[in-house]
Amino acid sequence: MRKPFIAGNWKMHTSEAEAEKLIGELKPLVKQLQNVDIAVCPPYVYLHKSVYLTGESNIFVGAQNCYMESKGAFTGEIAPEMLKDIGCKFVILGHSERRHIFGETDEMINLKVKKTLAADLDVILCVGELLEEREAGHTESVVESQLTGGLKDLTGTDMARITIAYEPVWAIGTGKTATPDQAQEVHAFIRKWLAAHKGAAVAEACRIQYGGSVKPENAGELLGQSDIDGALVGGASLKADSFAAIVQAAV
Ligand code: PEP
């Protein structure tokens, strides 16, 4: 039985005071919820404080990105070792905004995944197709090549620390959610791919989150699908009550 995992991606939002308020409001709302992993991913500059504020609570803190080197002359970049050092638990890699705005390739993402695991952090690896790719009937081939590239060389032991997030790009921040059937179809495809390329045990254990305009109103039906093991939530994670309602739906 896979434990559901709900993570909030705050993207480039909140002030320090707003981050503090959001965590302060969220903690009591999710305190009693068990058998679910809960995480927030604030911007880099608020990570340290967020780790402190979440303290002994049941909320983990993850980062939204990292670089693929441990140190050196890489102005403006952050190493996974630094994220580990301040208490982060995992890193989101390959988010569609990193791919499409910042030009990250599967090769770069794979280097980041390996470096992040080597720094003893877990990974949420995001995959998903553009609207034109879906309309051209290329959803599976796009997702397959992102999985092949992003998970290249990873062993079964590595895979135990990976969560996959299927995020159709056309559903991110647009209010358009994939229907539960559309999402389930791709999740089942991902699990089949994992079984074929990483083994049946990995496929059975690996959590696959859905992301793309998840809100309290649609979370129950999406999370009720057999291959949907959680959610990566953008907009709705910026309000404590809506994020907590999504976590509640997972429970
Ligand atoms: C995301 O950023 O990963 C995301 C799914 O955003 P939203 O929930 O706002 O669509």
Side-chain angles (χ1 to χ4, degrees):
M1 193 61 190
R2 296 177 292 271
K3 190 179 187 183
F5 180 13
I6 309 295
N9 172 13
W10 293 5
K11 310 194 185 190
M12 199 172 72
H13 291 294
T14 81
S15 63
E16 185 178 6
E18 286 163 347
E20 186 164 354
K21 182 164 173 276
L22 185 45
I23 290 174
E25 290 171 352
L26 186 61
K27 279 204 300 192
L29 293 176
V30 298
K31 199 170 108 191
Q32 311 291 350
L33 302 179
Q34 289 173 358
N35 299 320
V36 58
D37 284 336
I38 309 165
V40 293
C41 303
Y44 279 139
V45 287
Y46 310 135
L47 285 174
H48 202 177
K49 188 159 190 182
S50 300
V51 168
Y52 169 74
L53 291 170
T54 50
E56 298 298 299
S57 78
N58 56 345
I59 304 171
F60 298 121
V61 175
Q64 301 172 18
N65 182 35
C66 68
Y67 197 55
M68 71 279 254
E69 296 289 346
S70 302
K71 60 177 159 185
F74 302 106
T75 302
E77 293 295 339
I78 302 288
E81 286 81 356
M82 296 170 180
L83 299 171
K84 176 74 185 176
D85 190 31
I86 61 161
C88 287
K89 175 92 174 29
F90 67 93
V91 184
I92 299 172
L93 293 170
H95 190 278
S96 69
E97 287 146 20
R98 301 297 319 169
R99 292 176 187 268
H100 299 296
I101 302 174
F102 301 102
E104 290 194 11
T105 62
D106 287 315
E107 200 181 3
M108 286 166 71
I109 294 162
N110 180 245
L111 291 173
K112 290 184 177 199
V113 170
K114 289 179 192 162
K115 201 71 191 172
T116 300
L117 295 176
D120 195 26
L121 288 163
D122 295 350
V123 167
I124 295 179
L125 173 69
C126 303
V127 298
E129 80 288 0
L130 297 165
L131 182 59
E132 54 268 36
E133 292 167 336
R134 171 163 283 262
E135 286 174 348
H138 296 155
T139 298
E140 291 190 355
S141 62
V142 169
V143 169
E144 172 159 33
S145 78
Q146 291 171 339
L147 292 170
T148 305
L151 299 176
K152 186 165 163 264
D153 303 329
L154 297 201
T155 64
T157 312
D158 296 330
M159 288 303 299
R161 305 198 68 162
I162 306 268
T163 296
I164 309 284
Y166 168 58
E167 301 203 304
V169 182
W170 47 273
I172 297 180
T174 59
K176 285 186 200 152
T177 320
T179 64
D181 285 349
Q182 281 174 323
Q184 167 58 27
E185 198 180 343
V186 182
H187 281 237
F189 170 77
I190 293 171
R191 206 173 298 289
K192 208 169 81 191
W193 184 93
L194 288 169
H197 298 272
K198 303 290 175 187
V202 167
E204 186 53 34
C206 186
R207 293 186 291 191
I208 309 174
Q209 296 172 319
Y210 170 77
S213 300
V214 176
K215 337 181 235 290
E217 304 79 60
N218 58 26
E221 218 188 330
L222 285 160
L223 292 164
Q225 303 300 309
S226 58
D227 287 297
I228 300 186
D229 310 311
L232 184 54
V233 185
S237 70
L238 293 169
K239 290 216 171 95
D241 55 352
S242 56
F243 188 62
I246 294 168
V247 177
Q248 178 78 59
V251 176

